Amino acid sequence: MRGPIVAVDVGGTKIAAALVGANGDVWQERRVATPEQGLQPLLEHLLRIIDELRALVPAPVRAIGLAVPGVVDAATGTVLMAANLPWRDTPLADIVALHTGLPTVVGNDADGAALAEVWYGSAGASRSVVCLTIGTGVGGGLVIERQLVRGRQRSGFEVGHMIVDPAGPVCRCGSRGCLEVLAAGPAIARRMRAHAGGDWTSEQVIAAARAGDTLASRVLDETAAHLAVAIVNIWRLLAPDVIVLGGGVAAAEDLLLDPLRRHVAKLSPGRAVPPAALRLSTLHRGASVLAAAALVLDAYDQDREALPIAMGGTDTGNLLGSSR
Ligand SMILES: [Zn+2]
């Protein structure tokens, strides 16, 4: 397939959209707040963004990809339900395809994130990848032998609700001690409030740890300890080539990765997870739109071995599809 993809990540609070070239170059990225007034304004907003991006390139856009935080029927592109979005059984792919006349793929954002690691990111040479996106919640995507594994009832790979401490706090899903309620951004903020008082965001905790605040470092260490339980269990179940950490919390980089590797080694001394198998996503900027673009590649491009893995090119030739 040639020509750029219009890729849109539709979140509950913001929409990110961009043109994505053949090598994963992200162009004309825009981020806007998600309209709050309901289904019709949201759809009109999305179609307007797609039309604007299409008008910016001389080359024909080859397809539209949309990543949503919800349950999607991958065969039809119907959004069955989505977190914080007014979609119930909404035939989103049909609506967008009818408006644009272009092939349209709609999928779960965490599935897209795992595919993006394989198509564009650090997991390029790997056949089996687990991707954990740690932000406001914890999303998970699973690719085995380069095939996306969709979870039971198409709800995705629900690793965020893996129980890592049955005596832990109650999660929004009703269980206690899910990975999400112990390791996502709000858990980091909550832990810091308990130690230091005051009001914190996870970004502020990470910045404080980077500036040498020992309490903030302790909070990241405690977070890493919970995350390590999930990592060791994932490793024992699946032994993927790589486990990739992405999302806002992964922006802590070594401040999280170093204690995480230490806790993983402590939990699993005999059957260690190779340090190189535990990585940070290299798709920082533009990762969310690359997830939407990767859903298109997964649906349409089967010749994965032939895909050139290259990052961050700025050659407009790539955008126009001349590199494939
Ligand atoms: Zn849960």
Side-chain angles (χ1 to χ4, degrees):
M1 271 182 132
R2 299 162 66 86
I5 293 166
V6 173
V8 188
D9 175 58
V10 192
T13 54
K14 63 177 188 297
I15 296 169
L19 291 157
V20 176
N23 286 354
D25 2 325
V26 175
W27 288 75
Q28 298 284 350
E29 187 175 7
R30 44 210 62 193
R31 288 167 183 272
V32 294
T34 305
E36 284 173 9
Q37 316 91 311
L39 179 64
Q40 203 55 33
L42 174 58
L43 286 174
E44 284 168 11
H45 202 76
L46 283 177
L47 296 176
R48 199 160 54 236
I49 292 172
I50 291 167
D51 288 343
E52 276 171 23
L53 286 168
R54 271 184 91 178
L56 289 171
V57 273
V61 165
R62 60 170 160 159
I64 315 282
L66 297 112
V68 301
V71 185
V72 179
D73 182 336
T76 62
T78 297
V79 182
L80 304 179
M81 56 152 296
N84 305 314
L85 290 168
W87 288 335
R88 293 289 176 279
D89 302 320
T90 305
L92 184 60
D94 286 349
I95 292 167
V96 174
L98 196 67
H99 177 83
T100 61
L102 288 169
T104 301
V105 178
V106 177
N108 173 271
D109 55 356
D111 286 345
L115 289 168
E117 293 296 335
V118 174
W119 285 94
Y120 303 121
S122 60
S126 307
R127 304 192 67 83
S128 298
V129 177
V130 170
C131 179
L132 300 182
T133 305
I134 312 169
T136 315
V138 176
L142 170 62
V143 175
I144 290 182
E145 289 299 309
R146 296 195 164 240
Q147 292 294 319
L148 178 69
V149 178
R150 294 178 205 277
R152 183 174 158 266
Q153 296 176 341
R154 298 165 290 205
S155 62
F157 173 59
E158 289 284 9
V159 73
H161 299 279
M162 170 189 288
I163 295 170
V164 297
D165 178 6
V170 177
C171 178
R172 65 187 168 90
C173 75
S175 296
R176 277 189 179 275
C178 293
L179 178 62
E180 177 169 299
V181 78
L182 290 167
I188 293 174
R190 187 182 67 234
R191 219 165 264 137
M192 190 67 183
R193 278 197 300 275
H195 284 309
D199 226 5
W200 293 82
T201 64
S202 57
E203 290 84 0
Q204 289 167 334
V205 177
I206 291 165
R210 189 157 285 133
D213 184 306
T214 49
L215 267 183
S217 298
R218 193 169 129 198
V219 163
L220 292 182
D221 185 84
E222 288 167 3
T223 305
H226 292 296
L227 199 49
V229 175
I231 300 277
V232 169
N233 285 329
I234 289 167
W235 186 260
R236 288 181 177 184
L237 274 177
L238 301 166
D241 296 318
V242 285
I243 299 175
V244 181
L245 307 180
V249 171
E253 299 185 331
D254 289 347
L255 296 170
L256 182 71
L257 200 57
D258 289 346
L260 182 57
R261 288 197 167 123
R262 218 168 39 243
H263 285 291
V264 165
K266 206 159 71 186
L267 285 173
S268 188
R271 304 160 66 189
V273 180
L278 191 52
R279 295 186 201 164
L280 296 169
S281 172
T282 54
L283 305 174
H284 294 305
R285 203 183 150 276
S288 65
V289 292
L290 288 176
L295 289 165
V296 174
L297 297 185
D298 185 62
Y300 286 103
D301 289 21
Q302 292 307 315
D303 188 11
R304 291 156 201 237
E305 308 297 347
L307 185 83
I309 302 294
M311 285 300 302
T314 51
D315 176 4
T316 46
N318 291 342
L319 182 66
L320 304 180
S322 58
S323 66
R324 287 202 70 201

